[in-house]
Amino acid sequence: MCNAAYAAENEGNQKLWRPRMITPSLVALDSPVNREFTAEVRASPAAKDWHIAIANDLKSWNCEVVSSQFTKINRGTEPGWLVRARVPADASPELFDLTVASSDGSSAQNQAVSVSPVFATDFYILHLADEQIVNDQHTDPSGQYFRTAGTVDVLRWLHQPINLIHPRFVFITGDQIDYNGALDG
């Protein structure tokens, strides 16, 4: 898909600043307060009628909207809405897709809300170290590019094992993209 088509298709999804797949909200089912999270949304000051839902492949849960305030979002750098929501007590413990909608439009993000039974439950932390991505596809059975650096394919191959591990936190260290920013886009 060309960049213009991708941008047009995902324009509405850029309205949801946080939580996102790379910065999911963490909630626990053990109390009403622990089930709450805040969505940062780019929308006009006139936006109203907020609706928030979490979903997996089989079911969707409507979240209670606790509060909404027009203020600063994106690390205090732009105007937007802070919408506080509460995950239903009967949600299953897993990583959910999130949809936020208002009179101003809707936005969706994959894997944006992580639900745990309780915060004190044992969990996994996953650390991904500097992948040194230089090409999109591998040219060697090892998945490396000229046996010195990685490819985007390597990251794609990680999706299924990471989802099986179901980590609560993922730390990514290093610059990830090598080759003088050639693949930044």
Side-chain angles (χ1 to χ4, degrees), residues 31-104:
S31 73
V33 170
N34 285 347
R35 292 196 324 264
E36 292 182 9
F37 68 94
T38 301
E40 295 184 31
V41 186
R42 294 177 178 112
S44 74
K48 58 185 178 185
D49 301 326
W50 292 99
H51 176 79
I52 296 181
I54 57 173
N56 60 22
D57 292 339
L58 303 173
K59 186 176 176 181
S60 177
W61 289 262
N62 291 323
C63 298
E64 174 189 352
V65 175
V66 176
S67 66
S68 58
Q69 176 187 13
F70 188 75
T71 185
K72 294 282 189 176
I73 64 168
N74 184 6
R75 301 176 316 275
T77 62
E78 64 181 280
W81 286 88
L82 294 178
V83 183
R84 190 107 180 120
R86 184 176 297 130
V87 170
D90 68 340
S92 58
E94 61 184 279
L95 189 58
F96 287 101
D97 296 343
L98 174 66
T99 302
V100 177
S102 74
S103 60
D104 206 46

Side-chain angles (χ1 to χ4, degrees), residues 134-149:
V134 297
N135 274 351
D136 187 40
Q137 296 182 334
H138 70 280
T139 57
D140 185 275
S142 70
Q144 296 181 331
Y145 175 73
F146 296 124
R147 296 192 180 272
T148 61

Side-chain angles (χ1 to χ4, degrees), residues 101-122:
S102 74
S103 60
D104 206 46
S106 68
S107 183
Q109 290 291 327
N110 294 332
Q111 301 179 349
V113 177
S114 179
V115 177
S116 298
V118 295
F119 281 131
T121 302
D122 289 341

